[in-house]
Amino acid sequence: MTDVKFLFLLQSGDSDAFTELIAIYRKNVINICYRFLLNREDAEDVSQEVFIEVYHAIKKFRGDAKLNSWIYRIAVTKSLDEIKKQNRKKRITSLGKTLNMEEVVHWLSGGERPDKKLQEDEDYTLLLDTLNKLPDNQRIALTLSKIEGYTQPEIAEIMQTTSTGVDSLIYRAKINLKSFFLR
């Protein structure tokens, strides 16, 4: 089935097409939500909200962006809304659970990704506090780039900005993180 036909079926309210859409995007949406919420149950709950919104808004989808980018943008927005509801206590990905501070600074500076050994200590708390200080747009760009592995153009589409804007956000996030660590 072509993308155009699939979109037509979705916008026509075809329940089989919507079931297929969920099957295609469910795992990625849950993963995106989890990266922000750090809680599997919360991520699953928010992903349901994402698909409810997609269901209600699909008729208004104009195709200005790719369908997957539109869905992922909704997932990011819903995740941020959930974070705000939780008094902004859980704002980042599971990254902090697996890294120590020296490796984080090296990695965020463009170095190789460190291995994933679970370490819960003062460094983790410091990392959480530091990442929580970043403006939302910088944190989102950094998370989508470094953790989710999206390309600059994909992030630009999800965040509704330019690739240059994404580069700038990531650069500023790294500078801000370094300055927080060096204080």
Side-chain angles (χ1 to χ4, degrees), residues 16 23 25 59 67 76 86 101-102 114:
D16 291 336
Y25 294 107
K59 290 180 183 178
L67 183 61
V76 168
Q86 296 174 358
M101 296 311 290
E102 197 171 297

Side-chain angles (χ1 to χ4, degrees), residues 25 32 61 64-76 150 153-160:
Y25 294 107
I32 287 171
F61 179 71
D64 295 341
K66 292 180 185 173
L67 183 61
N68 65 342
S69 296
W70 180 68
I71 292 170
Y72 298 155
R73 185 171 45 247
I74 293 171
V76 168
Y150 286 99
E154 290 170 330
I155 297 168
E157 197 169 328
I158 290 169
M159 295 184 69
Q160 295 182 317

Side-chain angles (χ1 to χ4, degrees), residues 86-103:
Q86 296 174 358
N87 295 320
R88 305 173 81 79
K89 289 182 183 176
K90 297 178 183 176
R91 296 186 60 168
I92 63 156
T93 69
S94 60
L95 172 67
K97 291 181 181 178
T98 59
L99 307 172
N100 68 42
M101 296 311 290
E102 197 171 297
E103 291 172 320

Side-chain angles (χ1 to χ4, degrees), residues 27-80:
K27 183 178 176 183
N28 286 343
V29 168
I30 289 173
N31 285 338
I32 287 171
C33 294
Y34 178 78
R35 298 281 186 222
F36 286 94
L37 301 170
L38 298 176
N39 180 292
R40 189 74 176 167
E41 292 79 24
D42 288 345
E44 289 173 356
D45 290 346
V46 171
S47 71
Q48 288 179 6
E49 291 177 29
V50 169
F51 288 112
I52 290 169
E53 177 149 338
V54 167
Y55 179 80
H56 290 295
I58 193 72
K59 290 180 183 178
K60 296 176 187 172
F61 179 71
R62 298 182 313 260
D64 295 341
K66 292 180 185 173
L67 183 61
N68 65 342
S69 296
W70 180 68
I71 292 170
Y72 298 155
R73 185 171 45 247
I74 293 171
V76 168
T77 301
K78 290 287 186 186
S79 296
L80 291 175

Side-chain angles (χ1 to χ4, degrees), residues 154-169:
E154 290 170 330
I155 297 168
E157 197 169 328
I158 290 169
M159 295 184 69
Q160 295 182 317
T161 188
T162 64
S163 289
T164 305
V166 170
D167 286 337
S168 177
L169 289 170

Side-chain angles (χ1 to χ4, degrees), residues 3 47 69 106 109 146 156-157:
D3 290 344
S47 71
S69 296
H106 175 70
S109 300
K146 289 291 187 179
E157 197 169 328

